[in-house]
Amino acid sequence: MKVVLAQPRGFCAGVVRAIDIVERALVKYGAPIYVRHEIVHNRYVVESLERKGARFVENLDEVPDGAVVIFSAHGVSRAVVAEAQARRLPTLDATCPLVTKVHNQSRRYVAQGRTLVLIGHAGHPEVEGTLGQIDGLAAHLVQTEADIEMLDVPTDTPIAYVTQTTLSVDDTRSIIAALMRRFSDVIGPETRDICYATQNRQMAMRELCRIADLVLVVGARNSSNSNRLREIGVEAGVSSYLVADGTDIDPAWLCGAKVVGVTAGASAPEALVERVIEVLRRMGPIEVSVLPGVEEHINFRLPAELASV
Ligand code: 0CJ
Ligand code: F3S
């Protein structure tokens, strides 16, 4: 059996930075360090940081007075920042700079008098953080083309849209087109809010689907960008499964597969890709190769107080 790895796959610059922030904070301030929400959507990452002294919470009321708290890569609303300030909690912001950029753009659009439409998935922490940049009724969430028809907004209202960073490029394009059809004055970034890492991994997944009989996507169930990779496989007609670490591979999936593709979401460490390869090796002889693809050289700066730790 051939095992072909997608390039690029796995960690993006925002995830590397977010994990680095937790590790450096533990060194500088000592355990425990509180992290609001999973720093990135991956249990393996979360559990390894827990072993070093990080404590993950969903709400700031679980953080004791005076403890250092880190905001996850997905970003937070202004209400969460205000709550931390009101309690004078020392905070570090691990929000991906590409999410912060969307926050800033959202506020600018609303300041220009436009009604904001956020394209994204309800309940996702990034969506809550972005919607939470805007007060009151000026922001609307849409998840599908059908949601555009349901918007209770006059069609000549000046609209600006922004998007979640980890969406399907193709689906987002269709939703933007529907928005442009319904409203007469629409501005927005097209699909440029979808980050470089999401776009590159989706492109690599499409390449993998041209040669693979089956694709295993290493990533967590609550990882938006990993789910989008699996969907691309399904849309291309290639059986595709999200796997946490390989222990969840059903041998029946591999029946008759000559070429197995493996990729990983932006929050999945390479150690988990290696575990998946090990599981495949135990099932029979394999030959591993990497598909040529985009090389990424992006780095995000750390918060100043952690740069020299
Ligand atoms: O939202 C982000 C800034 C992406 C973070 C990395 O991926 P993950 O799986 O933690 O988050 P998504 O669910 O947003 O893909
Ligand atoms: Fe940032 Fe994209 Fe990664 S938004 S955290 S670079 S998936």
Side-chain angles (χ1 to χ4, degrees):
M1 187 168 71
K2 287 192 168 142
V3 174
V4 184
L5 308 181
Q7 164 67 36
R9 63 179 181 280
F11 278 8
C12 60
V15 164
V16 169
R17 175 178 179 273
I19 295 171
D20 208 5
I21 288 174
V22 181
E23 286 178 335
R24 285 172 187 245
L26 282 162
V27 171
K28 180 159 179 181
Y29 304 108
I33 293 285
Y34 285 77
V35 184
R36 186 192 174 279
H37 195 69
E38 291 188 333
I39 186 73
V40 298
H41 290 145
N42 191 275
R43 284 314 300 166
Y44 176 95
V45 170
V46 165
E47 283 165 15
S48 27
L49 292 172
E50 274 173 345
R51 281 194 293 276
K52 295 179 185 173
R55 294 203 187 147
F56 292 86
V57 297
E58 284 308 309
N59 294 300
L60 293 187
D61 56 17
E62 300 165 63
V63 178
D65 288 341
V68 176
V69 58
I70 299 176
F71 299 141
S72 80
H74 317 93
V76 294
S77 66
R78 289 208 289 185
V80 170
V81 174
E83 188 185 345
Q85 279 168 351
R87 286 191 53 202
R88 298 182 199 283
L89 293 173
T91 56
L92 287 162
D93 191 3
T95 304
C96 177
L98 300 181
V99 173
T100 303
K101 190 172 150 202
V102 176
H103 288 181
N104 295 341
Q105 186 62 55
S106 301
R107 289 201 295 263
R108 274 199 297 272
Y109 281 143
V110 172
Q112 289 165 13
R114 289 185 174 267
T115 293
L116 191 74
V117 171
L118 168 62
I119 304 170
H121 297 287
H124 189 282
E126 182 184 333
V127 163
E128 285 171 3
T130 303
L131 283 176
Q133 301 304 309
I134 309 302
D135 300 324
L137 298 172
H140 301 266
L141 175 65
V142 300
Q143 306 189 72
T144 61
E145 277 185 61
D147 287 349
I148 306 269
E149 293 309 312
M150 312 283 283
L151 285 174
D152 188 15
V153 177
T155 56
D156 58 353
T157 307
I159 301 278
Y161 64 86
V162 292
T163 85
Q164 196 177 336
T165 55
T166 53
L167 298 181
S168 146
V169 175
D170 293 342
D171 292 354
T172 305
R173 216 172 260 133
S174 314
I175 295 172
I176 293 169
L179 195 60
M180 312 274 271
R181 281 196 300 274
R182 169 128 197 249
F183 294 93
S184 53
D185 177 6
V186 180
I187 61 169
E190 300 179 341
T191 54
R192 287 187 299 274
D193 280 350
I194 302 176
C195 74
Y196 80 95
T198 297
Q199 302 220 18
N200 287 347
R201 280 153 193 67
Q202 289 182 9
M203 204 160 49
M205 177 68 181
R206 273 189 213 97
E207 288 304 310
L208 201 55
C209 288
R210 291 152 70 104
I211 56 159
D213 305 314
L214 163 84
V215 178
L216 303 174
V217 179
V218 185
R221 304 238 152 247
N222 60 342
S223 165
S224 165
N225 77 87
S226 307
N227 277 289
R228 304 294 80 81
L229 294 177
R230 191 194 68 81
E231 284 168 6
I232 286 174
V234 172
E235 279 157 23
V238 178
S239 302
S240 301
Y241 300 94
L242 206 55
V243 296
D245 57 9
T247 55
D248 43 355
I249 295 173
D250 180 345
W253 299 343
L254 301 164
C255 229
K258 291 194 174 63
V259 182
V260 175
V262 178
T263 187
S267 44
E270 188 64 10
L272 295 179
V273 172
E274 282 160 16
R275 284 191 187 181
V276 165
I277 295 170
E278 259 327 293
V279 170
L280 295 174
R281 203 186 303 281
R282 273 187 254 130
M283 291 177 178
I286 58 170
E287 191 188 303
V288 183
S289 62
V290 181
L291 211 60
V294 174
E295 298 279 342
E296 294 174 341
H297 301 284
I298 294 184
N299 269 307
F300 294 133
R301 227 192 318 236
L302 286 162
E305 60 267 52
L306 296 179
S308 58
V309 175

